[in-house]
Amino acid sequence: MPAKVGAVKVITVSSSSIFNIGDVYSMAPISSAKTYAGGGSFNTGNGIRINLNNSSTNVTDSDKVDQPAS
């Protein structure tokens, strides 16, 4: 059935979102990201002690694409 839509005010649409008005069969947003972080970066909690005397993060990626988004 055709969709009947009233007034719509769009303030912003981010780069990883979908905006649709009306009939749609399927919508599938796709995005990908790669995160580099050193040792102990994502620890959470109370009273955590981390001892990283000499830590480095290797960000060299020779294959460029880990998992293609299609």
Side-chain angles (χ1 to χ4, degrees):
M1 293 183 73
K4 293 184 180 181
V5 179
V8 176
K9 180 178 181 181
V10 177
I11 304 298
T12 183
V13 177
S14 70
S15 62
S16 62
S17 61
I18 293 177
F19 177 75
N20 181 66
I21 295 178
D23 297 335
V24 65
Y25 174 72
S26 175
M27 296 186 348
I30 296 173
S31 67
S32 62
K34 186 180 288 191
T35 303
Y36 298 105
S41 295
F42 298 112
N43 291 330
T44 58
N46 297 328
I48 294 177
R49 294 183 185 186
I50 301 169
N51 185 4
L52 299 172
N53 292 331
N54 189 5
S55 176
S56 64
T57 302
N58 183 7
V59 296
T60 304
D61 189 7
S62 60
D63 62 353
K64 307 291 185 227
V65 177
D66 293 324
Q67 183 174 350
S70 56

